[in-house]
Amino acid sequence: MTERKLTRTAIAAAALDVLNEQGLDQLSLRKVAARLDVKAPSLYWHVADKNMLLALLAESIFADCLSKIPACADWRDWLRAFGKALWQAQNATRDAGRLILGAGQPVEVLKAMQDATSAPLVALGLEPERAMMMQASVQALVTGWTTFAQGPNTAYLQSQLPIDAAFAEGLDALIHGLDPAP
């Protein structure tokens, strides 16, 4: 890859490949640069350090989730689709829970993520503050279940309950509990 083609999107995709193959502890700018066939210093124009790499990777995964949500006529359907997209992405990503919990985002990225998740809910009739609380609750539920599903006690958890079904039931219960309608 020539340096002219080196983009944040390409860097995030290469980082995701390294993460899924080798895990979060082995993810490094050097390994991402090697995957892109460039020298590590070339990445510093786009990503200053590993913390920024983690933030870029988490942001990329999140944006991909949002792009998979179909048009919805009801905020409940949007939240459910959002939760399922996050669940699928996090389960497809090695060490996703650790990545999300460890990737400190710049304020402008957090604001953009907030706007991207709240805007569809506001368009579907929710007040902005309520939309923010609801989407944050769904994110917390998904990340909590992801941490269980990828954590050190995964085998035991899987032996006790069907994780995907339990997550889906929990998501539905959360959305039902957020519904102000009787």
Side-chain angles (χ1 to χ4, degrees), residues 146-170:
T146 298
T147 302
F148 281 148
Q150 293 181 354
N153 300 313
T154 300
Y156 176 78
L157 183 62
Q158 289 174 336
S159 75
Q160 299 300 305
L161 57 99
I163 294 174
D164 286 331
F167 161 74
E169 188 173 326

Side-chain angles (χ1 to χ4, degrees), residues 15 17 67 74 79 86 90 124 143 146 155:
D17 288 343
S67 73
D74 183 82
L79 276 177
L86 287 173
Q90 289 182 18
L124 292 169
T143 302
T146 298

Side-chain angles (χ1 to χ4, degrees), residues 1-7 10-11 35-38:
M1 171 177 281
T2 64
E3 290 185 29
R4 286 179 280 129
K5 294 182 181 176
L6 193 60
T7 64
I11 293 167
R35 176 64 52 107
L36 293 167
D37 197 27
V38 299

